[in-house]
Amino acid sequence: MTTLPRPTARLSADEARRIALRAQGFLGAPDRRSGVRGVLRHLGAVQLDTISVLARSHELIPYARLGAVGRRTVEEAYWKEGSRPPHAFEYWSHAACILPVEEWPHFAFRRRAYRARPLWNHELPDGTYDQVIKQLRAEGPLTATELGGAKRTSEWWDWSGTKVAVERALMYGEVVCVERRGWKRVYDLAERAIPAELLHDELDDTECLRRLVRLAGQSLGVGTRADIADYHRLKGEQVDAVIGDSGLVPVTVAGWSKPAWADPAALATAPRGRHRTTLLSPFDSLVWERARTERIFGFTHRLEAYVPKPKRVYGYFAMPVLAGGRLVGRVDPAREGRTLVAKQVTLDGRKAVPAVAQALVEAAGWVECTDVRVERVDAPELREALVLELARAVA
């Protein structure tokens, strides 16, 4: 069996890229038996976002690794089912993320930090917090609307006192989001929703941070201090305090200007197997840190949904295309009825055409579209080639 360099040795840039792909579930046979829950445990965090073009990001992430997993299956895998204990909870990690429920104790450091926070952006009316807790205890899981209203006006930021209270309780860990209903958070008391053996804040900050640094290293395979810190949005000094006894090992990577750390299990065997060809959510953990994406793939990735339309280069929700372990282009998709529309396609040369066509056709089938239409290709001379390849893929 081929082995990679021993700990503290030097990795080539290509070895680091392949280690990262395997760690993120894009190299090798997917673990279909563990399904969506296995993807969540493997990644440690799945980012949520309000934007839905093909599907929401938390659906796109298991799709990219497993293929056409049913969208209802994805939702059922994440959220609490009836009286059964939840498999996951929603909390602040890299951003708003779905996290494996067994990691609840390891976010105690963040819950304590929120409880000690002196200033907040929203004022909390007297008595509202206690009223929300009392209502949840009496009535069970509720949305903010059911608790009394999410907003005071139509402005997205103008939260009602009830919404401020329940979000504060979520940050403190007294309340947990057990599911999303029509994209609204459904809140319940943590004491009722989180398994009793996990419902504690006994771990000190050092133990929490050590665990999250270790998890980040496993999910990344190999990364710099900044990469590891960004995964769960830790501070650099928090990483520094625990990385030495996290179980990760120091390595150097050719072409990387900063020292790196690797999961020793990722170094034990050379990554082998089939590469995924797929569209990636811009919020996928493979690409969510721009500097890392540029360093590993030589690919500049930026979500332009919040960029004024005249200033967009690649499109509103440009999705990177992964093929052969490389990022070979981008597609800005839309849906019109049962047609998947590639509003703008960016290709890394003619060699990328078959992979982009395959990714488009597979994504269309997953979201039950029966046709794919290409509107614009950044290299006009490749448009005809892409259209022909799409016709072959559909046939």
Side-chain angles (χ1 to χ4, degrees), residues 299-321:
F299 187 91
T300 301
H301 162 67
R302 181 189 183 192
L303 177 68
E304 296 182 333
Y306 308 111
V307 174
K309 188 174 182 179
K311 295 185 179 181
R312 291 175 192 154
V313 178
Y314 300 111
Y316 174 80
F317 196 73
M319 301 179 69
V321 180

Side-chain angles (χ1 to χ4, degrees), residues 1-2 6 22 141 145 161 171 184 209 218 266 354 391:
M1 181 179 290
T2 304
R6 293 177 63 83
R22 183 175 62 182
T145 300
M171 290 177 169
K184 294 179 179 180
L209 294 168
Q218 291 174 337

Side-chain angles (χ1 to χ4, degrees), residues 8-120:
T8 71
R10 186 176 179 85
L11 299 173
S12 70
D14 189 63
E15 286 170 333
R17 177 182 58 82
R18 290 170 62 81
I19 286 172
L21 286 165
R22 183 175 62 182
Q24 281 285 301
F26 290 107
L27 178 60
D31 183 2
R32 298 193 181 282
R33 287 180 299 177
S34 63
V36 177
R37 290 173 192 159
V39 170
L40 175 61
R41 287 193 298 270
H42 189 76
L43 297 179
V46 168
Q47 187 172 341
L48 292 157
D49 194 79
T50 58
I51 298 173
S52 180
V53 179
L54 288 183
R56 294 199 189 276
S57 188
H58 68 284
E59 299 172 283
L60 290 166
I61 288 165
Y63 161 75
R65 290 154 177 84
L66 299 174
V69 59
R71 296 174 69 183
R72 182 62 190 167
T73 299
V74 173
E75 297 296 330
E76 290 174 350
Y78 288 142
W79 303 121
K80 182 177 171 64
E81 301 174 55
S83 60
R84 297 179 183 177
H87 299 282
F89 68 104
E90 182 181 330
Y91 202 59
W92 295 100
S93 168
H94 180 81
C97 288
I98 301 171
L99 303 164
V101 73
E102 57 266 29
E103 301 307 330
W104 173 272
H106 302 109
F107 283 84
F109 83 101
R110 189 157 283 164
R111 293 191 288 271
R112 284 192 288 264
Y114 282 134
R115 291 177 205 139
R117 184 174 171 179
L119 299 173
W120 293 87

Side-chain angles (χ1 to χ4, degrees), residues 236-260:
E237 55 267 31
Q238 291 176 317
V239 174
D240 292 341
V242 300
I243 198 166
D245 59 354
S246 68
L248 304 180
V249 295
V251 297
T252 57
V253 181
W256 291 21
S257 62
K258 303 289 186 181

Side-chain angles (χ1 to χ4, degrees), residues 142-209:
L142 298 169
T143 66
T145 300
E146 291 166 340
L147 281 165
K151 299 176 185 177
R152 291 184 299 182
T153 68
S154 61
E155 300 292 345
W156 68 268
W157 48 265
D158 194 19
W159 287 0
S160 69
T162 298
K163 175 69 172 175
V164 173
V166 76
E167 286 293 319
R168 193 82 57 91
L170 181 77
M171 290 177 169
Y172 292 170
E174 194 167 359
V175 159
V176 65
C177 176
V178 294
E179 65 173 307
R180 290 269 185 159
R181 188 186 302 153
W183 198 242
K184 294 179 179 180
R185 283 177 173 154
V186 179
Y187 305 92
D188 197 5
L189 298 180
E191 65 192 46
R192 194 157 50 203
I194 300 297
E197 65 273 19
L198 299 173
L199 187 65
H200 62 78
D201 283 357
E202 296 168 5
L203 304 183
D204 63 25
D205 285 12
T206 297
E207 193 168 352
C208 292
L209 294 168

